[in-house]
Amino acid sequence: QQQVKQSPQSLIVQKGGISIINCAYENTAFDYFPWYQQFPGKGPALLIAIRPDVSEKKEGRFTISFNKSAKQFSLHIMDSQPGDSATYFCAASMETNFGNEKLTFGTGTRLTIIP
Amino acid sequence: SQTIHQWPATLVQPVGSPLSLECTVEGTSNPNLYWYRQAAGRGLQLLFYSVGIGQISSEVPQNLSASRPQDRQFILSSKKLLLSDSGFYLCAWSVLAGAHEQYFGPGTRLTVT
């Protein structure tokens, strides 16, 4: 059961443009929404994250927009650079019976920034 | 600072052979530990997690098992590999008490032939 849907699957953006990746979730028990960046052959790295009581979070060129009523959130990369070319995963977190958190990931977006 | 190690980095194994992948974390105590699998061109699927020595929770019934013999060591095993076990295996850790952030290791690329 796909609980976090991510789109688009791939995205090509010109250098300096805005990259936008969208995710939607179903389970209202999710309480934390991180984005991960992954380069080929490497493990994912935490990029930015947001809690559902906040509508927007910005860190440098990266912004998360969160719409709790629509159960949607998105990543915006401003002034996209060739070094941003990577695969981006959204995720949603919920607490387990043991008190830790477990993540459900979207299927990923391969972003390519062209000069 | 905290560091997470995985080995081996790559592995090619025949169908029916056993498997043992190891993950260790340095610089923290009592971490939550996780095993994920990433199939080619797909997202990450949570396989197992552990909140303490000897405790394992399984998310997806399959041909794999996990063990946590020491506080900062997490092992993924199989008695007989299947072709479908091929993938990129990632270990992750988080702080024990209520932290949401998970940090991933460098991964092990497993090819079953």
Side-chain angles (χ1 to χ4, degrees):
Chain A
Q1 181 183 1
Q2 178 63 36
Q3 294 192 57
V4 179
K5 296 182 179 180
Q6 183 172 348
S7 63
Q9 187 175 3
S10 63
L11 181 62
I12 298 174
V13 174
Q14 207 151 25
K15 178 183 175 181
I18 302 174
S19 303
I20 302 174
I21 304 170
N22 300 300
C23 284
Y25 64 97
E26 300 167 1
N27 194 332
T28 56
F30 290 133
D31 58 1
Y32 175 80
F33 300 86
W35 286 87
Y36 283 82
Q37 179 188 57
Q38 185 180 32
F39 294 104
K42 306 295 184 182
L46 181 62
L47 189 62
I48 187 173
I50 197 167
R51 297 181 184 273
D53 55 348
V54 177
S55 61
E56 185 175 282
K57 183 174 181 180
K58 184 176 180 179
E59 290 184 0
R61 297 184 293 109
F62 300 90
T63 300
I64 300 177
S65 297
F66 189 85
N67 186 329
K68 188 175 182 178
S69 61
K71 293 188 285 187
Q72 296 175 346
F73 59 109
S74 60
L75 176 69
H76 292 64
I77 305 174
M78 312 299 289
D79 186 26
S80 299
Q81 298 297 312
D84 297 330
S85 296
T87 299
Y88 292 81
F89 293 94
C90 63
S93 177
M94 73 167 67
E95 186 176 357
T96 74
N97 292 334
F98 295 94
N100 65 315
E101 297 277 329
K102 64 177 183 179
L103 292 172
T104 299
F105 281 83
T107 50
T109 297
R110 179 171 292 182
L111 174 64
T112 303
I113 308 300
I114 55 175
Chain B
S1 63
Q2 299 85 7
T3 308
I4 180 168
H5 302 278
Q6 288 187 243
W7 63 88
T10 60
L11 189 61
V12 180
Q13 292 283 92
V15 168
S17 64
L19 173 72
S20 181
L21 304 181
E22 189 166 343
C23 169
T24 59
V25 180
E26 296 178 354
T28 188
S29 296
N30 304 316
N32 298 314
L33 296 172
Y34 304 83
W35 277 114
Y36 291 85
R37 177 169 59 201
Q38 184 175 23
R42 299 184 64 181
L44 286 78
Q45 180 185 36
L46 178 62
L47 302 175
F48 303 94
Y49 64 87
S50 171
V51 300
I53 296 174
Q55 186 280 323
I56 304 295
S57 294
S58 174
E59 285 291 293
V60 182
Q62 60 208 313
N63 187 41
L64 302 169
S65 62
S67 61
R68 185 169 176 174
Q70 300 181 42
D71 180 45
R72 290 171 287 177
Q73 184 185 32
F74 206 21
I75 297 173
L76 183 69
S77 303
S78 174
K79 292 182 179 178
K80 290 185 178 181
L81 283 169
L82 306 172
L83 284 174
S84 58
D85 291 323
S86 294
F88 193 42
Y89 288 83
L90 291 152
C91 181
W93 72 275
S94 68
V95 172
L96 182 60
H100 293 79
E101 295 83 1
Q102 290 186 23
Y103 302 96
F104 285 82
T108 294
R109 175 75 59 188
L110 172 66
T111 302
V112 182
T113 61

